[in-house]
Amino acid sequence: MDGEQAPRRTRVVLGEVAARRRPTDRTHADLAEQTPVGEALVKGLVRAQLALALRLALVVVTGLGALPLLFAAAPGLGTVKVLGINLPWLLLGALSFPFLVGVGWAYVRWAERNEQDFIALIRKPEQ
């Protein structure tokens, strides 16, 4: 212990590191801290997604719901055969699935566009 020096202590301050990591953009901070502005931005995105879902649900209900009404209003269409299959069976049993897949594809594409618009709105102050 005579010639040995005690190791020199180093002071580590974590407050300075945390202060540097805070977002400088106010919009990002509003979202991260869930301020009223951030909540309004998120509610806007949720509202846009809900409106899209309701519009496409209306398309599905109208598209598929109109077919039984059409066959009830014009019973002669129920006896029409296409490729040996009754038209109601063909439309409701086979062609409804590609229609639903198409609506689902459109929903995903437009929902992603809504999210990209939201991200662009948030990043706009940075640019």
Side-chain angles (χ1 to χ4, degrees):
M1 288 231 179
D2 291 350
E4 293 181 28
Q5 285 185 331
R8 192 170 167 199
R9 290 188 167 193
T10 304
R11 182 175 178 203
V12 177
V13 179
L14 298 177
E16 293 173 10
V17 174
R20 276 187 257 136
R21 290 185 185 165
R22 288 187 184 164
T24 57
D25 181 22
R26 190 67 213 154
T27 308
H28 287 265
D30 287 337
L31 287 173
E33 296 170 6
Q34 297 179 352
T35 65
V37 173
E39 284 182 27
L41 289 170
V42 172
K43 281 183 182 179
L45 174 63
V46 170
R47 221 176 285 124
Q49 299 291 49
L50 178 62
L52 174 63
L54 291 175
R55 283 193 308 265
L56 290 178
L58 184 63
V59 167
V60 169
V61 167
T62 303
L64 294 181
L67 291 175
L69 294 175
L70 175 69
F71 294 127
L77 286 176
T79 60
V80 174
K81 289 191 181 251
V82 178
L83 300 173
I85 302 171
N86 287 341
L87 187 61
W89 280 102
L90 183 66
L91 291 176
L92 291 173
L95 296 180
S96 62
F97 294 107
F99 172 70
L100 291 173
V101 168
V103 170
W105 175 82
Y107 175 77
V108 169
R109 183 178 169 120
W110 292 333
E112 287 175 349
R113 188 188 66 200
N114 284 344
E115 291 172 2
Q116 290 170 355
D117 290 346
F118 177 74
I119 291 170
L121 176 71
I122 290 177
R123 289 186 179 162
K124 189 175 182 179
E126 292 176 0
Q127 297 172 350

